[in-house]
Amino acid sequence: MPMINLFYFRKSALKTLCSTLCCWMLINYANAQIKEQGIIPQPFKVEKTKAVFNFTPSTSISLGEGIDINNLIFFNQYFQSLSGYQLKVNKKATINLNIDSTKVTQPEGYILWVTAKQISITGHDQAGVFYGLQSLVQLLHKANGKITVQGTAIEDHPRFAYRGMHLDVSRHFFKVEAIKKWIDLLALYKINTFHWHLTDDQGWRIEIKKYPLLQGISAYRDETIIGHKKDSPHRFDGKRYGGYYTQEEVKAVVKYAMERHINIIPEIEMPGHALAALAAYPQLGCTGGPYKTATYWGIFDDVYCAGNEETFTFLQNVLDEVLPLFPSKYIHIGGDECPKTKWKACPKCQQRIKDEHLKDEHELQSYFIGRMEKYLNNKGRQIIGWDEILEGGLAPGATVMSWTGEEGGIAATKQHHNAIMTPEKYVYLDYYQSLYPSEQLAGGGYTPLSKVYNYEPITQELSGDEAKYIKGVQANAWSEYMASPTQAERQLFPRMLALAEIAWTAKENKSYPNFLKRLRYEQPLLKILNINAANTFDEITDQVTESADRQVQLNLMSTLPGGQIYYTTNSTVPGLKSKKYNKYIIVTASGKIKAAVFNGAKQYGRVYEKSFDVDKAIGKNVTLTNQPQGGYNPGNTFGLVNGVFGSKLYNDGQWYGFNGDDLEAVVDLGSVQKISQLGINILKYHWQKMWEPQLLTFETSADGKTYTEVYRQTAFNDNGINEVRANITPVQARYIKVKGINKGIIPPGEYIAGAKAWLMVDELIVN
Ligand code: ACM
Ligand code: ZN
């Protein structure tokens, strides 16, 4: 079998996909254990019967009136690679494809019937027939050289009209064959929109003939950061990097996608994330440059000048070349993360604010977006923008893509604007899917498969009327940490399948255990497609809780069917002879707990490990003057003294976050004791609005009334986790007061300047 990489195909991508599917099915059905089949995403209604339809070389297919021949071509490519023969067209066939919008009333819906004698797919429309065939492909069964399908009656249609996947090709560039393969996979899972993020600070990826320097300069960067953007100092690889799609290539991709019922929405970013364009055309920036295509990840102050007419001419000319390539009604114009620093200092931008009677730079952003919207509306298109386009007022017909949270989408629906939900917290697939230390480098926090799967786009805040403005849901794949196709696959699969199910499957039909079951059936397919899919979902996860007597209780879990966990407490590798995990583990000493899950004698996945630091404060009572907020442990204090340190993943459940408020915690040791060290961990990620305190102090007291300051610190240098360990002159004390004065308002020039800073702390340490 050829070695196939998701992102680099030698032959026709579809042919390869088909031949690999064939191999998958051969293996799948040769393996007696994998008999059950399922469809991802789960259909609306499925009934199974005992009937079996047998394919033979004389089985033929009839195409009802108006059925696109592509349906048969695609199906035959799959089918032939499985069976060795093709289905021919015959009016009196046993397989019938039809379109009947009276019988199937829902757009993109289909009915699939399989009896012993007949298979019939009736679609509401072409897409419905196509999706019926995608489901049939997943149900084909090969055993003893025979192709069969179990009898079934499926009635299916999507929950949402907009089912999107995004891919950033600026931070890392993926070649055309890779994109086509990507599109094949989207189609297989009934995703109908591909949001192609084509321009950003680190590279401009679409040919614009009028501006050749976009190809000559903007498509390339001098080098690329190594490691994570929060690492300090930044290190670079010294290698020029880049590439772009020619207009001919773009046309081919758009056609390829349309044949598979996928609409491509191009994104041309403005007014921020523009550094690559400014590198080539510095007159479009407020200062005139010089600028360079960015070599690391982040948000950059240099954006398009909103006071310069040439900026608008440039962007309009760019769009004039983009629009003919993309028939999409919607064009994405970005709008996110546009710092206002340069606009504030720019005479031209300030003049524009005056001339247009705008209140401030936020209204200038709104002016910018509104003006571009008008231009696109005049060309018959609608805009989509990230939720920051709400700043300073929403352009009249704009659709909001809600990413910073769900609030933007909700706000848009209240103004009767359409919205697409893609909240960072749930569906950013560039985030970590596992808390294991060996997990590959990723973008932000922790978003396991279960969290993606359980995301519900229609939140309770949306009344029945407003909910109809939520057009759908999308997952995003920012490629900062997906430098290679293999890395991208590991990040996106299988979480993309969870997105497909959120988008397609009726809410009442969703079930995570059932999804996992179908996902396990899907493994051989993903393997044979040579997709480097993650299998973290059945690995061990944990919860550190408080026992009735405030001891630290470690709970381990795995969804692996028949899985049994074994563990060690002395850092050795766990095996079948280690301790068997039953209910929980009470942690009484510092050290590392390791565990592995086994099905019989076979270990699944990687070894789990967790370190505990047991000190004098463990499990002791803590009083907080201000409550932490958001997802950072409001209403509980045990996590501050549970022996587990928060990791670099800020949403790992360990961190306590104070939004604009100070930290004031008192630990009661229960008795007066000798104390010689006090400590705390502080998470500092300015790009995540997480700031070190202005001042940190430790005070001690014997009676809880009179406190004496024993330590103070005002400088925190390390980006990431600051481990404060203050060795003090030994004192006798029962109470420890820890105060951290919040940074307050994020200062100008910093990420999200003007917002309240988060003070993030974990683990109060007393020795
Ligand atoms: C975004 O993630 N900046 C839209
Ligand atoms: Zn300006």
Side-chain angles (χ1 to χ4, degrees):
M1 189 194 338
M3 288 302 290
I4 302 136
N5 186 308
L6 167 56
F7 286 87
Y8 295 103
F9 262 37
R10 262 163 279 156
K11 294 184 209 158
S12 143
L14 188 65
K15 264 190 206 151
T16 318
L17 177 65
C18 297
S19 68
T20 52
L21 263 171
C22 154
C23 298
W24 160 64
M25 284 157 174
L26 287 169
I27 285 185
N28 193 1
Y29 305 126
N31 182 346
Q33 287 180 327
I34 305 173
K35 261 196 215 144
E36 274 205 74
Q37 282 155 291
I39 296 170
I40 295 177
Q42 175 68 24
F44 185 66
K45 268 190 201 162
V46 184
E47 278 175 31
K48 286 185 180 172
T49 72
K50 292 226 162 68
V52 174
F53 180 93
N54 292 292
F55 284 87
T56 70
S58 60
T59 304
S60 57
I61 191 161
S62 76
L63 304 179
E65 204 180 318
I67 296 279
D68 188 338
I69 190 78
N70 271 333
N71 280 306
L72 179 61
I73 293 169
F74 296 154
F75 183 76
N76 262 333
Q77 282 173 329
Y78 285 104
F79 187 79
Q80 179 167 29
S81 54
L82 181 64
S83 66
Y85 55 90
Q86 290 210 349
L87 301 183
K88 295 198 179 55
V89 177
N90 180 344
K91 280 212 172 77
K92 288 188 193 149
T94 46
I95 303 176
N96 305 289
L97 308 185
N98 286 293
I99 293 178
D100 185 341
S101 59
T102 57
K103 204 161 148 196
V104 183
T105 54
Q106 304 272 1
E108 303 179 278
Y110 66 90
I111 291 171
L112 166 61
W113 280 341
V114 178
T115 66
K117 295 206 168 122
Q118 270 202 333
I119 295 178
S120 114
I121 294 176
T122 307
H124 173 87
D125 43 29
Q126 297 285 356
V129 175
F130 179 78
Y131 290 136
L133 284 167
Q134 301 302 314
S135 293
L136 181 61
V137 161
Q138 290 191 50
L139 296 177
L140 293 174
H141 186 112
K142 182 163 183 168
N144 306 321
K146 281 195 174 145
I147 314 291
T148 59
V149 185
Q150 192 191 337
T152 191
I154 295 175
E155 193 186 321
D156 201 8
H157 61 264
R159 180 178 179 197
F160 291 108
Y162 184 107
R163 305 182 298 279
M165 255 321 292
H166 152 287
L167 183 67
D168 164 18
V169 295
S170 171
R171 277 51 177 262
H172 285 100
F173 180 59
F174 300 105
K175 293 179 180 169
V176 166
E177 289 311 308
I179 299 296
K180 286 187 175 172
K181 179 61 169 67
W182 171 245
I183 287 167
D184 282 340
L185 290 164
L186 300 188
L188 190 59
Y189 296 109
K190 304 188 176 92
I191 291 168
N192 67 353
T193 308
F194 171 33
H195 171 174
W196 205 359
H197 184 79
L198 287 162
T199 71
D200 214 301
D201 298 302
Q202 294 81 4
W204 183 285
R205 306 276 176 238
I206 179 168
E207 180 190 29
I208 303 295
K209 295 183 177 166
K210 197 175 181 92
Y211 296 105
L213 296 184
L214 290 175
Q215 286 72 255
I217 292 175
S218 310
Y220 296 90
R221 57 180 180 252
D222 289 345
E223 55 185 355
T224 303
I225 186 173
I226 298 169
H228 205 279
K229 70 175 170 186
K230 73 180 192 301
D231 294 348
S232 178
H234 282 170
R235 291 174 302 131
F236 293 90
D237 65 3
K239 292 180 201 149
R240 184 171 144 88
Y241 181 95
Y244 64 92
Y245 307 106
T246 65
Q247 293 194 359
E248 285 310 307
E249 286 174 325
V250 169
K251 272 189 227 164
V253 168
V254 170
K255 178 169 181 285
Y256 191 89
M258 279 172 70
E259 287 166 356
R260 288 153 183 80
H261 300 277
I262 289 173
N263 178 45
I264 301 187
I265 298 179
E267 181 180 353
I268 305 295
E269 269 267 29
M270 61 189 82
H273 288 292
L275 209 42
L278 298 186
Y281 298 98
Q283 69 274 25
L284 305 180
C286 288
T287 64
Y291 307 106
K292 284 194 127 185
T293 307
T295 56
Y296 61 97
W297 326 126
I299 297 167
F300 298 88
D301 282 344
D302 287 300
V303 301
Y304 291 116
C305 176
N308 184 353
E309 273 309 293
E310 200 185 333
T311 295
F312 294 95
T313 311
F314 169 82
L315 289 169
Q316 287 165 8
N317 288 337
V318 164
L319 288 170
D320 283 349
E321 291 194 34
V322 168
L323 298 186
L325 305 175
F326 294 94
S328 173
K329 176 174 152 197
Y330 292 99
I331 303 293
H332 203 303
I333 59 165
D336 61 318
E337 299 179 322
C338 179
K340 309 296 185 289
T341 319
K342 295 293 157 101
W343 288 0
K344 282 197 167 109
C346 171
K348 283 191 219 152
C349 285
Q350 292 306 312
Q351 190 60 44
R352 175 85 72 197
I353 288 176
K354 233 165 146 185
D355 294 348
E356 298 291 333
H357 311 291
L358 305 173
K359 207 167 71 202
D360 56 14
E361 290 73 22
H362 294 296
E363 288 201 355
L364 185 57
Q365 154 122 354
S366 174
Y367 164 85
F368 197 118
I369 299 293
R371 186 165 162 177
M372 294 311 299
E373 179 185 49
K374 208 175 281 167
Y375 187 77
L376 285 165
N377 287 167
N378 284 337
K379 307 262 169 186
R381 309 299 179 102
Q382 299 285 327
I383 64 159
I384 301 184
W386 300 110
D387 54 54
E388 291 95 324
I389 67 168
L390 285 152
E391 277 176 26
L394 202 49
T399 295
V400 171
M401 203 168 251
S402 193
W403 77 275
T404 55
E406 293 154 276
E407 299 79 6
I410 293 165
T413 65
K414 293 202 189 301
Q415 298 177 41
H416 295 181
H417 280 248
N418 288 337
I420 293 151
M421 288 301 198
T422 179
E424 185 180 17
K425 196 163 136 188
Y426 297 102
V427 286
Y428 267 40
L429 304 189
D430 49 319
Y431 282 21
Y432 284 90
Q433 59 195 312
S434 159
L435 290 172
Y436 281 43
S438 62
E439 191 59 29
Q440 84 178 18
L441 196 67
Y446 172 47
T447 311
L449 180 68
S450 55
K451 186 169 176 181
V452 176
Y453 187 84
N454 289 316
Y455 173 57
E456 168 50 45
I458 308 287
T459 56
Q460 283 175 344
E461 287 95 326
L462 294 161
S463 71
D465 190 43
E466 284 151 1
K468 71 171 191 260
Y469 293 102
I470 302 286
K471 292 301 164 191
V473 58
Q474 172 174 300
N476 295 341
W478 300 99
S479 61
E480 286 93 335
Y481 304 104
M482 301 180 200
S484 72
T486 318
Q487 285 174 358
E489 291 164 19
R490 179 97 185 12
Q491 281 298 118
L492 304 178
F493 294 87
R495 289 183 293 177
M496 194 188 95
L497 277 55
L499 181 276
E501 194 143 317
I502 300 170
W504 180 279
T505 301
K507 186 178 170 186
E508 59 274 21
N509 287 341
K510 278 181 69 198
S511 148
Y512 186 61
N514 184 274
F515 172 72
L516 281 185
K517 200 163 113 180
R518 284 174 286 120
L519 181 57
R520 292 186 199 105
Y521 303 148
E522 204 78 359
Q523 292 308 300
L525 166 62
L526 296 173
K527 204 171 267 169
I528 297 302
L529 289 173
N530 202 22
I531 293 170
N532 182 32
N535 68 347
T536 58
F537 52 88
D538 278 334
E539 286 183 338
I540 294 170
T541 55
D542 69 10
Q543 228 179 350
V544 179
T545 54
E546 178 183 351
S547 72
D549 52 353
R550 233 175 137 81
Q551 282 194 299
V552 176
Q553 190 171 297
L554 174 64
N555 308 277
L556 301 178
M557 296 146 281
S558 164
T559 47
L560 186 71
Q564 174 63 53
I565 295 170
Y566 294 84
Y567 72 98
T568 62
T569 52
N570 58 0
S571 290
T572 55
V573 177
L576 293 167
K577 292 198 174 127
S578 306
K579 278 183 223 130
K580 208 171 183 174
Y581 174 87
N582 286 314
K583 259 161 79 188
Y584 49 78
I585 302 165
I586 294 287
V587 180
T588 52
S590 293
K592 198 175 265 183
I593 293 179
K594 290 191 176 185
V597 61
F598 290 82
N599 185 350
K602 195 166 180 288
Q603 184 183 324
Y604 179 90
R606 298 166 294 180
V607 172
Y608 158 94
E609 58 178 71
K610 187 139 215 147
S611 292
F612 288 86
D613 178 83
V614 175
D615 63 4
K616 283 189 201 299
I618 203 104
K620 293 296 185 296
N621 272 318
V622 178
T623 327
L624 287 172
T625 305
N626 297 314
Q627 276 304 307
Q629 286 149 288
Y632 303 113
N633 284 307
N636 122 56
T637 58
F638 185 72
L640 285 166
V641 288
N642 66 359
V644 180
F645 295 170
S647 71
K648 61 186 178 178
L649 302 187
Y650 50 83
N651 65 342
D652 64 5
Q654 293 302 320
W655 293 100
Y656 282 65
F658 299 87
N659 192 211
D661 292 336
D662 299 336
L663 161 73
E664 185 173 315
V666 174
V667 186
D668 177 359
L669 298 177
S671 62
V672 173
Q673 300 177 30
K674 184 177 160 193
I675 294 163
S676 57
Q677 190 195 51
L678 297 170
I680 190 169
N681 290 349
I682 291 168
L683 189 62
K684 174 178 165 185
Y685 288 162
H686 290 183
W687 57 269
Q688 205 72 40
K689 301 190 280 178
M690 295 169 180
W691 281 73
E692 67 279 20
Q694 300 178 45
L695 171 67
L696 173 76
T697 55
F698 292 127
E699 296 165 49
T700 60
S701 168
D703 59 6
K705 291 180 187 129
T706 317
Y707 282 88
T708 310
E709 185 179 304
V710 292
Y711 181 79
R712 65 168 41 213
Q713 183 173 335
T714 51
F716 300 84
N717 295 323
D718 294 336
N719 205 21
I721 300 171
N722 269 259
E723 291 194 356
V724 177
R725 299 291 180 272
N727 294 315
I728 59 168
T729 312
V731 290
Q732 293 286 330
R734 172 174 168 176
Y735 301 92
I736 320 294
K737 188 182 279 183
V738 187
K739 277 193 200 162
I741 308 298
N742 196 299
K743 178 75 183 172
I745 298 298
I746 298 174
E750 299 287 349
Y751 177 58
I752 320 267
K756 284 187 209 165
W758 285 90
L759 171 59
M760 303 289 291
V761 303
D762 179 39
E763 211 56 20
L764 305 173
I765 295 160
V766 181
N767 282 306

